[in-house]
Amino acid sequence: MAATASSPLLILLPLFLLLASAAGEKQTHIKLYWHDVVSGANPTAVPVARAAVTNTSKTAFGVVIVIDDPLTNGPDLNSGKPIGRAQGTYISAGKDELSLMMNMNFVFQSGKFNGSTVAIMGRNAVFTAVREMSIVGGTGVFRMARGYAQARTYSSDLKTGDATVEYNLYISH
Ligand SMILES: *[C@@H]1O[C@H](CO)[C@@H](O)[C@H](O)[C@H]1NC(C)=O
Ligand SMILES: *[C@@H]1O[C@H](CO)[C@@H](O)[C@H](O)[C@H]1NC(C)=O
């Protein structure tokens, strides 16, 4: 009798543990604006390498850009509240279509996420309306993070190359 009474509990125990750990995981959604400033005297995105061949210019295939781009809570770089920086690289990795390989840390420098980072890696075909990238990790508040980011171009100036992109981060941590 005692054995049959305890066995359902033993069977359910792993389920309870699973539910407890799932309940401990947070879901955080962050919307912010990423500003790629390539023009002017104080660019935040700088090319550091390009392919030796010259007929790749259609998609800038082989160009490597290092960024320290400001992140703000609103679309206007000058009036938006600074949230942090996007630091890393993007590489033009598409031969026939303009497609970037993004590899960057979002470094939070204000509010409750100050000092924490989120690592983003993924394909960014910039002329597509919504580009989805992976959130592959994080530090601080975002330790063990995983999730995804969705990027939508807010504005881009084809003459200067400057662009503002809305990012929505969906983070489990
Ligand atoms: C340009 O591309 C063509 C076709 O892919 C290739 O044959 C050629 O060697 C490339 N380089 C130059 C400098 O034209
Ligand atoms: C963020 O944290 C740093 C380091 O602790 C601190 O110096 C800075 O004042 C904080 N910034 C804001 C806006 O809270």
Side-chain angles (χ1 to χ4, degrees), residues 69-104:
D69 281 346
L71 302 171
T72 60
N73 71 339
D76 188 328
L77 174 57
N78 301 311
S79 65
K81 186 172 154 277
I83 288 180
R85 314 290 296 192
Q87 297 177 336
T89 57
Y90 59 80
I91 298 169
S92 188
K95 239 169 90 64
D96 301 318
E97 182 195 2
L98 181 53
S99 163
L100 306 177
M101 163 67 192
M102 311 296 289
N103 178 29
M104 58 189 172

Side-chain angles (χ1 to χ4, degrees), residues 145-166:
R146 64 206 158 77
Y148 61 99
Q150 286 183 332
R152 292 172 176 83
T153 302
Y154 178 81
S155 63
S156 69
D157 185 328
L158 289 178
K159 228 178 262 167
T160 62
D162 294 351
T164 294
V165 179
E166 178 191 310

